[in-house]
Amino acid sequence: MDHGLWQYLCKRLLLCLITLLVILFSCYLLMRLAPGNAAKSSVLDSSGGAGMVASDRASLERSKVLEEKLHLDKPLIVGFGIWLSDALRGDFGSSVEFEKGRPVTELIMERLPVTVKLNFFAILLTYLLAIPLGILTAVSPSQKLDRTVTVSLLFLYALPVLFTALLLRAFFCKGGMFPVFPLTGLTPTIQPGTSTWQILGQTALHYVLPVLCLSYGGFAVIARYTRAGMLDVIRQEYIRTARAKGVPEGTVIMRHAFRNTLIIMITLFAGILPGLVGGSIMIEYIFDIPGMGTLSMAALNSRDLPLVMGLFAFTGFLTLAGILIADILYVIADPRITFRSRTT
């Protein structure tokens, strides 16, 4: 393997590890400084220990045991160091409030496939529609089409996801004006005798509104960036030269022009992986989907420190992995970019 590639990867991996460490420490710091935590008991009255009944004393004892288990009784640096040493061994602890006693890794792995499937279809739909539309508006001689698409994309981009999801649910889910789609979840209730095609159709109905809400914002952004990149490239001298040589228009657009806009697509791709968790929190909550989004919200609401730290570690890893993959794809998409030149 090229020495420049090894040197670049080593530098980036070291930088990623340092960045991830800073992210995790910041998360731990904020959770420790935030008012309240999963170990604090809410049963103590203002009179202190004198007014406590037996059940209150038992709750207090459990709270003290939990604080020791989570190392909340130790200084911040010491507590973070203990958590980090356990995490490096693959032990992220057990959940405190959300499904008590279950390992954090088990909870994440259970919810992850749901969010991955949901976002996979959203990303696939976004790119399959946005890129052709962006190319079409860039090369189309119709100014009317360009203006219509531009205004429509700006309108989509301006729509708040939360408002749109609630509106679609109110109108098109069961109980609304046009009850076409199921109200919650991604899995239909299968009745005896239901055929395979009917099951697939019912499952698809569960995905329509969540996927639509997750994809329309990204669709508007990618289509606009594709159009802007294509407009910049097709004005270049080498495009005019290729046309003058009689190269077919389709070849000029796809092989010469579009390939040079891939840098923009790759840059946008870098933010997709962390979006698997963060981007679907509201959508999963509104449509009652048991994925990573609802797990994250439950963990934050309950101050579940082990679960929050596990989720931040997972999300931070995805963010840094997305950036590293994007850097590697830059070289594949544009031979003029080399790892050797990027490391100097």
Side-chain angles (χ1 to χ4, degrees), residues 197-234:
W197 288 108
Q198 289 175 326
I199 294 174
L200 290 176
Q202 293 175 15
T203 304
L205 288 177
H206 280 76
Y207 276 86
V208 171
L209 292 185
V211 168
L212 179 63
C213 292
L214 283 172
S215 60
Y216 77 82
F219 167 78
V221 172
I222 293 174
R224 290 292 297 164
Y225 273 99
T226 303
R227 175 186 177 275
M230 288 291 295
L231 286 175
D232 181 64
V233 171
I234 60 179

Side-chain angles (χ1 to χ4, degrees), residues 148-226:
T148 302
V149 172
T150 299
V151 172
S152 301
L153 292 177
L154 289 175
F155 175 75
L156 285 176
Y157 183 71
L159 281 177
V161 175
L162 179 60
F163 169 78
T164 305
L166 291 173
L167 195 64
L168 290 175
R169 177 176 173 175
F171 273 87
F172 297 106
C173 289
K174 290 184 177 179
M177 296 179 61
F178 308 100
V180 178
F181 302 102
L183 187 61
T184 59
L186 292 179
T187 305
T189 302
I190 307 301
Q191 301 296 334
T194 305
S195 67
T196 303
W197 288 108
Q198 289 175 326
I199 294 174
L200 290 176
Q202 293 175 15
T203 304
L205 288 177
H206 280 76
Y207 276 86
V208 171
L209 292 185
V211 168
L212 179 63
C213 292
L214 283 172
S215 60
Y216 77 82
F219 167 78
V221 172
I222 293 174
R224 290 292 297 164
Y225 273 99
T226 303

Side-chain angles (χ1 to χ4, degrees), residues 288-300:
D288 194 21
I289 299 171
M292 293 284 287
T294 52
L295 181 64
S296 301
M297 181 171 290
L300 289 171

Side-chain angles (χ1 to χ4, degrees), residues 8-314:
Y8 173 77
L9 289 178
C10 290
K11 287 183 177 180
R12 287 309 304 267
L13 288 174
L14 179 60
L15 180 61
C16 288
L17 290 175
I18 295 173
T19 305
L20 184 60
L21 183 63
V22 172
I23 292 173
L24 294 175
F25 179 75
S26 301
C27 172
Y28 189 85
L29 174 65
L30 292 174
M31 291 297 296
R32 287 287 297 265
L33 296 180
N37 58 62
K40 287 190 178 297
S41 175
S42 60
V43 299
L44 297 179
D45 57 17
S46 58
S47 61
M52 290 194 300
V53 297
S55 60
D56 296 338
R57 293 192 183 94
S59 297
L60 180 59
E61 289 298 324
R62 287 195 299 270
S63 177
K64 289 181 178 179
V65 170
L66 191 55
E67 282 191 356
E68 294 177 359
K69 180 181 178 181
L70 298 178
H71 312 294
L72 300 178
D73 57 332
K74 297 180 174 60
L76 191 145
I77 296 294
V78 176
F80 177 73
I82 295 174
W83 177 89
L84 184 62
S85 63
D86 291 339
L88 290 176
R89 295 195 300 268
D91 181 14
F92 289 91
S94 300
S95 175
V96 177
E97 291 292 328
F98 190 79
E99 300 189 31
K100 295 182 181 180
R102 292 191 63 187
V104 169
T105 305
E106 182 180 320
L107 284 171
I108 293 176
M109 291 298 104
E110 182 182 275
R111 300 296 188 97
L112 181 61
V114 177
T115 301
V116 168
K117 285 190 294 184
L118 184 63
N119 283 270
F120 170 78
F121 290 117
I123 293 168
L124 183 65
L125 179 66
T126 297
Y127 275 85
L128 286 180
L129 296 180
I131 292 178
L133 183 62
I135 295 174
L136 176 64
T137 54
V139 302
S140 175
S142 173
Q143 294 296 323
K144 184 178 180 180
L145 173 64
D146 189 19
R147 285 195 296 267
T148 302
V149 172
T150 299
V151 172
S152 301
L153 292 177
L154 289 175
F155 175 75
L156 285 176
Y157 183 71
L159 281 177
V161 175
L162 179 60
F163 169 78
T164 305
L166 291 173
L167 195 64
L168 290 175
R169 177 176 173 175
F171 273 87
F172 297 106
C173 289
K174 290 184 177 179
M177 296 179 61
F178 308 100
V180 178
F181 302 102
L183 187 61
T184 59
L186 292 179
T187 305
T189 302
I190 307 301
Q191 301 296 334
T194 305
S195 67
T196 303
W197 288 108
Q198 289 175 326
I199 294 174
L200 290 176
Q202 293 175 15
T203 304
L205 288 177
H206 280 76
Y207 276 86
V208 171
L209 292 185
V211 168
L212 179 63
C213 292
L214 283 172
S215 60
Y216 77 82
F219 167 78
V221 172
I222 293 174
R224 290 292 297 164
Y225 273 99
T226 303
R227 175 186 177 275
M230 288 291 295
L231 286 175
D232 181 64
V233 171
I234 60 179
R235 297 190 183 104
Q236 299 296 321
E237 185 66 31
Y238 70 92
I239 297 295
R240 290 195 292 267
T241 302
R243 285 172 172 164
K245 289 181 177 180
V247 178
E249 185 67 14
T251 304
V252 172
I253 296 301
M254 298 307 299
R255 180 176 297 179
H256 299 288
F258 177 66
R259 182 172 182 177
N260 285 279
T261 64
L262 286 177
I263 299 298
I264 299 174
M265 300 297 101
I266 293 171
T267 302
L268 296 176
F269 173 79
I272 288 178
L273 291 181
L276 292 177
V277 179
S280 58
I281 290 179
M282 285 294 99
I283 301 303
E284 290 183 6
Y285 179 76
I286 291 171
F287 291 100
D288 194 21
I289 299 171
M292 293 284 287
T294 52
L295 181 64
S296 301
M297 181 171 290
L300 289 171
N301 287 337
S302 61
R303 302 290 198 276
D304 194 332
L305 181 62
L307 186 53
V308 170
M309 290 299 296
L311 288 168
F312 264 82
F314 181 76

